[in-house]
Amino acid sequence: MMVRPHRFRPNQQTAADNHFQTEPDASRSVIAQRAYDEVTRMVEQLRGRGVDVLLLEDEGTTTPDSVFPNNWITTHPTGLLATFPMYAENRRLERRADALELLQERFHVYDTVDLSAAELEGEALEGTGVMIFDHLEMLAYACRSKRLSSRLFDEFCELAGYTPILFDATDSDGVPVYHTNVMMALGTDLAVIGASMIRDGSERRAVLGQLRDTGREVVELTEEQIGSFAGNCLEVQGADGRLLVMSRTGVDSLSRAQRDRIESRVELLPVDVHTLELAGGSARCMLAGIHLEPRQVHTPRA
């Protein structure tokens, strides 16, 4: 699921703890048009490779970060659909009843969880922004930040059947990584991670060990590459196989050796979203993965 914003702009309410945000270099109307065009091209690119994209439109003016729906909604292979509490007040407006209804119309949803009320008590758990799910091994990785309540993380993992793996990660200035999904991503048999940002040696070894124990190829990224959004990627299913969707900014930051190791496991699909990256997120943030079983569409007999 993706959202195409008609009036995109970087969110001033999130700038304080999102050090990946950048000030725009053009007028608001120009930035909005560029963002609209980038989403349009990305959707066309994904659909051209056989990826089923459910595209929603946002024509409003109160939700500058709506292009990042993965923070407020997740779906799971068990048939679970979950909605989450958001840290910034204006991001709470992104939750859409029509999106939930559409998912339940098109897919089998066997259970729902809504934790959003916790934001009224100052707690947040921003979906697959803060939680990286291993749906095969039923593990959930997360780094501590203002966007993640440890209590809610444990509660959701217990409800959904995941084992929680919690750690600290910071940049070189000691600022906590605001979302886990900017520093790591999991595919079927691949993991990319800015492991050096887990400063505690025992925590770093434990996370890397857990990833390797699952049999994945682990590609470590530098902090500079994390800043170029190389860790903010998502594996999707195309018509001819699996694809790793990563921004052109992220792909260009990879070394030849890193790219070869990644592509030995999955095909890289670069997308140009440099305008949207001004808001501090990238390709993965734009994709709310749908892990639900589709409903069968029966064609009436003549």
Side-chain angles (χ1 to χ4, degrees):
M1 185 174 78
M2 296 180 66
V3 176
R4 179 161 53 191
H6 291 232
R7 295 175 177 83
F8 167 84
R9 67 185 188 280
N11 187 354
Q12 294 303 309
Q13 287 192 24
T14 61
D17 73 321
N18 182 348
H19 287 218
F20 289 76
Q21 286 188 217
T22 306
E23 283 297 316
D25 60 354
S27 69
R28 181 173 289 189
S29 61
V30 169
I31 292 296
Q33 185 62 53
R34 288 176 184 171
Y36 180 94
D37 292 342
E38 286 177 8
V39 173
T40 301
R41 287 193 297 268
M42 182 171 166
V43 171
E44 291 172 350
Q45 197 172 353
L46 290 168
R47 286 176 173 168
R49 296 300 304 272
V51 180
D52 185 13
V53 179
L54 185 62
L55 180 62
L56 304 177
E57 305 288 344
D58 178 20
E59 300 182 19
T61 60
T62 59
T63 49
D65 277 337
S66 63
V67 72
F68 303 135
N70 79 304
N71 298 149
W72 70 264
I73 187 171
T74 66
T75 66
H76 303 263
T78 57
L80 174 66
L81 187 156
T83 51
F84 295 95
M86 307 289 279
Y87 177 66
E89 288 188 15
N90 62 2
R91 295 215 60 193
R92 300 168 189 176
L93 303 173
E94 295 172 26
R95 291 189 294 265
R96 295 175 56 159
D98 63 332
L100 301 177
E101 291 169 2
L102 190 57
L103 287 170
Q104 294 185 72
E105 287 175 6
R106 291 190 52 177
F107 301 91
H108 288 287
V109 174
Y110 300 112
D111 194 14
T112 60
V113 171
D114 182 1
L115 300 178
S116 60
E119 65 198 12
L120 301 177
E121 304 299 324
E123 291 185 281
L125 187 67
E126 295 191 343
T128 49
V130 295
M131 297 179 286
I132 309 299
F133 294 114
D134 182 340
H135 298 295
L136 300 175
E137 303 292 335
M138 296 304 289
L139 304 172
Y141 298 83
C143 62
R144 295 179 180 88
S145 75
K146 294 178 180 178
R147 313 292 184 92
L148 178 139
S149 158
S150 298
R151 183 191 70 80
L152 284 181
F153 178 50
D154 288 341
E155 179 182 333
F156 180 74
C157 286
E158 184 174 355
L159 286 170
Y162 293 89
T163 298
I165 301 172
L166 189 61
F167 54 89
D168 289 295
T170 66
D171 65 19
S172 55
D173 294 323
V175 178
V177 175
Y178 83 105
H179 272 167
T180 316
N181 76 1
V182 297
M183 65 164 290
M184 70 177 292
L186 296 180
T188 302
D189 50 13
L190 172 77
V192 296
I193 181 171
S196 64
M197 302 179 80
I198 307 176
R199 307 295 171 176
D200 181 88
S202 61
E203 281 194 341
R204 182 170 59 252
R205 288 188 294 272
V207 171
L208 288 173
Q210 183 65 71
L211 292 172
R212 293 186 174 115
D213 285 348
T214 65
R216 287 179 169 86
E217 175 83 8
V218 178
V219 178
E220 294 192 44
L221 304 173
T222 67
E223 185 173 337
E224 183 178 5
Q225 289 170 326
I226 294 300
S228 295
F229 297 104
N232 193 244
C233 51
L234 183 69
E235 181 185 288
V236 300
Q237 183 63 47
D240 300 317
R242 294 177 287 112
L243 305 164
L244 186 67
V245 184
M246 182 185 294
S247 76
R248 172 56 67 185
T249 309
V251 171
D252 287 347
S253 76
L254 298 173
S255 69
R256 182 72 258 177
Q258 288 171 319
R259 184 164 181 166
D260 287 345
R261 289 179 65 197
I262 291 171
E263 295 200 305
S264 71
R265 300 286 181 156
V266 63
E267 181 185 347
L268 268 169
L269 181 65
V271 293
D272 182 3
V273 292
H274 67 278
T275 302
L276 293 160
E277 287 175 335
L278 295 171
S282 189
R284 193 276 170 266
C285 300
M286 299 166 64
L287 299 165
I290 300 176
H291 300 279
L292 303 169
E293 180 186 354
R295 293 185 182 275
Q296 295 297 320
V297 178
H298 299 284
T299 303
R301 292 182 180 180

